[in-house]
Amino acid sequence: MPFHQTNAACSTDDGRANMGRTSTLLLVAALALLLPWFCAAAEPIKTTPTAWSFHLPLPNGVTGAESLAFDRRGQGPYAGVFEGRVLKWGGSTIGWTTFAHSANYRKIPLCTASAVPSEDTESICGRPLGLQFFAKTGDLCVADAYLGLMKVGPDGGEAEVLATQADGVPFHFVNGLDVDQATGDVYFTDSSTTYPRRFNSEIMMNADATGRLLKYDARTKQVTVLRADLPYPNGVAVSSDRTHVVVAHTVPSQAFRYWLKGAKAGQYELLADLPGYPDNIRRDARGGFWVALNQEKARLNAPAAPVKHLVGVRLTVDGVEVEELTAAKGVTLSDVSEKDGQLWLGSVELNYVGLVQ
């Protein structure tokens, strides 16, 4: 019996030792898996100041380059401005020229009368907001806040209206836009079915949630409502792999992801909480996104004004903030477009286009 008792005791000790070693190995493996996450979480957010950016002045008296775009030859930027035109930058020798306009712009004298406030003419002359080219055809797609989804050919001129309603509901505030470069399909937002752009502050004050995410099918010429009852949807960007569309919600300062393909197709999920009220969103050169911030988010019980004035953030494809843009107080951005390692900055309020080299 003593011999068997000793063997039993030894077996118990060996089992405990094996369990201990197994637990240690599992702990090491878990730490190895978590280590990259901890490192990424600890990595500081890069800050890029824009205060000393190069300023490309708009024509005299013109403001509001809300959205920027570059054509398939790399020319531009093109900018939609407050008076209903899309301008093209042709270099320092040529300067800014009119590339596109609505039908009314040439027909109605009111549209070119600089003495008339833009708020009184936008609904007639148009207000181009989101811009994006379809590289295969050279066409420029335009989200006009009042006139609807529009398109103009590679040589410019009068823009053609593609759509003014979806499911029998007229557009009230067409805003952000992006183009699937494989199909030519256009993804865009109607920020509210209640309030037009002129009363955009009412959307926020009344917590309006009647916005829509829409798709214009380039083949069938039909518009589909992908998502309705949204709170102030604004900028739109198709992901680099074309699996989803990211939508910036000005209120409540968030970015959402609408899945186009895969097991989650049709789902709408939160991608990121943002430190300010977003406007346009653009793909960056790394597979992520640049989000322009029109204003920083108000912080309750904040002891003092923030040290940094944020005007934009860069997100990874998974919504992690990795870079922030700062500017002088009072500067607001509506667009951050990355091209050839440079950042082009548009603003719905300023009289210039910025360039961070």
Side-chain angles (χ1 to χ4, degrees), residues 99-262:
F99 177 74
H101 55 82
S102 68
N104 288 344
Y105 183 81
R106 297 294 193 198
K107 297 176 182 177
I108 302 177
L110 187 69
C111 296
T112 55
S114 58
V116 182
S118 62
E119 292 83 0
D120 296 334
T121 63
E122 283 187 350
S123 61
I124 300 171
C125 310
R127 192 4 171 150
L129 296 177
L131 304 177
Q132 189 57 269
F133 280 93
F134 180 38
K136 288 183 179 179
T137 63
D139 292 339
L140 175 65
C141 296
V142 181
D144 190 290
Y146 296 92
L147 304 182
L149 180 65
M150 309 179 78
K151 178 184 75 172
V152 63
D155 296 326
E158 185 177 307
E160 170 193 358
V161 177
L162 298 178
T164 59
Q165 61 85 30
D167 287 353
V169 180
F171 302 152
H172 269 71
F173 186 177
V174 181
N175 202 335
L177 171 155
D178 199 9
V179 179
D180 185 323
Q181 293 299 321
T183 64
D185 295 340
V186 183
Y187 296 90
F188 63 107
T189 55
D190 185 17
S191 291
S192 172
T193 58
T194 306
Y195 300 102
R197 178 182 182 273
R198 183 173 182 176
F199 301 109
N200 71 87
S201 59
E202 301 291 327
I203 300 175
M204 295 182 282
M205 289 190 295
N206 295 315
D208 178 77
T210 63
R212 297 181 290 177
L213 172 63
L214 306 155
K215 173 188 174 182
Y216 174 81
D217 190 301
R219 184 179 59 83
T220 65
K221 316 299 182 187
Q222 298 298 310
V223 177
T224 303
V225 179
L226 300 179
R227 203 78 182 186
D229 303 321
L230 299 177
Y232 209 150
N234 197 325
V236 180
V238 179
S239 66
S240 58
D241 63 1
R242 302 175 52 243
T243 60
H244 60 278
V245 172
V246 176
V247 181
H249 288 259
T250 300
V251 176
S253 301
Q254 293 176 324
F256 275 74
R257 172 162 46 193
Y258 178 85
W259 287 97
L260 301 171
K261 301 177 181 180

Side-chain angles (χ1 to χ4, degrees), residues 25-55:
L25 289 172
L26 289 172
L27 180 61
V28 170
L31 288 173
L33 290 172
L34 290 172
L35 187 58
W37 183 88
F38 282 120
C39 291
E43 185 177 342
I45 296 174
K46 178 183 177 182
T47 299
T48 300
T50 66
W52 302 108
S53 64
F54 175 75
H55 291 179

Side-chain angles (χ1 to χ4, degrees), residues 54-57 76-77 88-97 344 355:
F54 175 75
H55 291 179
L56 195 65
K88 176 184 178 181
W89 175 250
S92 56
T93 302
I94 299 176
W96 293 100
T97 57
W344 293 83
L355 174 60

Side-chain angles (χ1 to χ4, degrees), residues 310-325:
L310 297 180
V311 291
V313 293
R314 183 164 65 87
L315 307 175
T316 67
V317 69
D318 295 316
V320 178
E321 183 181 335
V322 291
E323 188 171 354
E324 61 186 15
L325 300 180

